[in-house]
Amino acid sequence: MYKSLSRIFRSPVLPALPLRTMSMYNPHFVEPVFRKEDQQVLKETGEAAKLSHVRVKAARNNQTSSVFFDERVRKFTNYVMEGGQKELARSLVTRCFENIKRIQLERYNLASPEEKEKIETNPVKIFHTAVENCRPLLHTTPIKRGGQRYQVPVPVTEKRSYFMSMKWILEAALDKDRKVHLPEKLAWEILDAAAYQGRVIKKKQDLHKLCEANRAYAHYRWS
């Protein structure tokens, strides 16, 4: 059916018409602003008045203004997911945060009054700290010059750095002993990364050392 439509639209008799995409919204529909913080910013800057008469797309089922919603945790859940099993991925991440909370509360109860002030018990904040600690600043990309490939250090974009950080944490947890359940392995990896130690931190430091060793080829990036 789609092939026949494409032949009709691209026939020499009729003018070339673009095929419609699978989206139910026209291109002039704007993305919804579902977070209360973003809505407040739009009101303060005066952008909300411009959107009052603009058609807005419906929010997705995973976009909510709840105080428990976190965009980075949502993305990490998508990285954990395999085969479209979103509910399983959510349960694994939730159990991972429960293990982090339990471990930190045990440390808090055994610590002295001075040390208790330094112990963070919120698993979401610990997760954010771990991701920030694992973010790389540089990475190498192969560039061919004169028939030879060089590993040239280039800066990492913000979006890419967050992706690499969360992927490294997940891969480090999956490489551990298979007899231990994933939520427990993932909890310990996040705690180690939040304390700036562990396999992921070492991987990030090794990548930075490789970039520093190849800094002589940095000019190939522009040549």
Side-chain angles (χ1 to χ4, degrees):
M1 176 180 178
Y2 294 113
K3 291 183 179 179
S4 61
L5 286 175
S6 62
R7 292 196 194 100
I8 293 172
F9 287 139
R10 294 171 185 172
S11 64
V13 180
L14 297 175
L17 298 175
L19 290 174
R20 288 193 62 185
T21 59
M22 299 302 294
S23 175
M24 62 180 294
Y25 299 104
N26 290 329
H28 59 268
F29 278 72
V30 298
E31 294 292 334
V33 181
F34 58 95
R35 298 302 307 274
K36 292 183 178 179
E37 297 84 356
D38 299 336
Q39 293 174 1
Q40 187 64 29
V41 172
L42 290 177
K43 290 180 181 178
E44 293 175 355
T45 56
E47 294 291 330
K50 299 179 182 179
L51 299 176
S52 57
H53 299 290
V54 178
R55 295 184 178 182
V56 182
K57 295 180 182 179
R60 298 187 181 93
N61 57 357
N62 58 357
Q63 293 177 336
T64 173
S65 59
S66 172
V67 295
F68 301 105
F69 177 80
D70 190 276
E71 180 65 22
R72 200 162 298 160
V73 175
R74 184 189 69 83
K75 286 190 175 182
F76 185 69
T77 305
N78 291 339
Y79 299 151
V80 175
M81 178 180 62
E82 289 185 359
Q85 298 180 346
K86 192 65 170 286
E87 287 297 326
L88 177 60
R90 284 174 181 165
S91 64
L92 291 174
V93 174
T94 302
R95 286 164 55 192
C96 169
F97 285 176
E98 289 175 357
N99 290 334
I100 294 174
K101 183 79 171 182
R102 188 179 298 110
I103 294 169
Q104 291 299 96
L105 285 177
E106 291 177 359
R107 292 177 177 175
Y108 183 85
N109 293 330
L110 295 175
S112 62
E114 295 80 9
E115 296 176 346
K116 286 183 178 180
E117 299 178 357
K118 303 178 182 179
I119 297 177
E120 179 62 57
T121 58
N122 189 345
V124 178
K125 291 184 179 180
I126 295 173
F127 171 75
H128 280 271
T129 304
V131 172
E132 289 290 339
N133 290 343
C134 298
R135 283 180 58 195
L137 300 176
L138 297 169
H139 74 114
T140 59
T141 181
I143 295 179
K144 190 174 182 179
R145 289 290 181 274
Q148 187 174 359
R149 289 189 178 273
Y150 299 93
Q151 295 295 329
V152 179
V154 295
V156 186
T157 61
E158 182 181 2
K159 184 177 180 180
R160 176 70 179 173
S161 66
Y162 280 115
F163 168 76
M164 294 174 67
S165 175
M166 290 186 279
K167 270 296 185 182
W168 285 351
I169 293 174
L170 181 58
E171 289 173 357
L174 292 173
D175 288 341
K176 285 191 173 182
D177 188 5
R178 294 190 176 184
K179 296 181 180 179
V180 183
H181 293 291
L182 178 62
E184 186 176 349
K185 296 187 292 186
L186 201 54
W188 283 110
E189 282 296 333
I190 292 174
L191 287 172
D192 288 343
Y196 210 81
Q197 59 187 9
R199 302 170 62 183
V200 185
I201 298 296
K202 185 178 183 303
K203 187 172 184 177
K204 168 193 163 183
Q205 292 173 347
D206 291 342
L207 179 60
H208 285 175
K209 288 179 182 178
L210 178 63
C211 294
E212 185 178 0
N214 294 337
R215 66 184 182 273
Y217 309 131
H219 63 282
Y220 288 149
R221 179 186 168 204
W222 297 280
S223 61

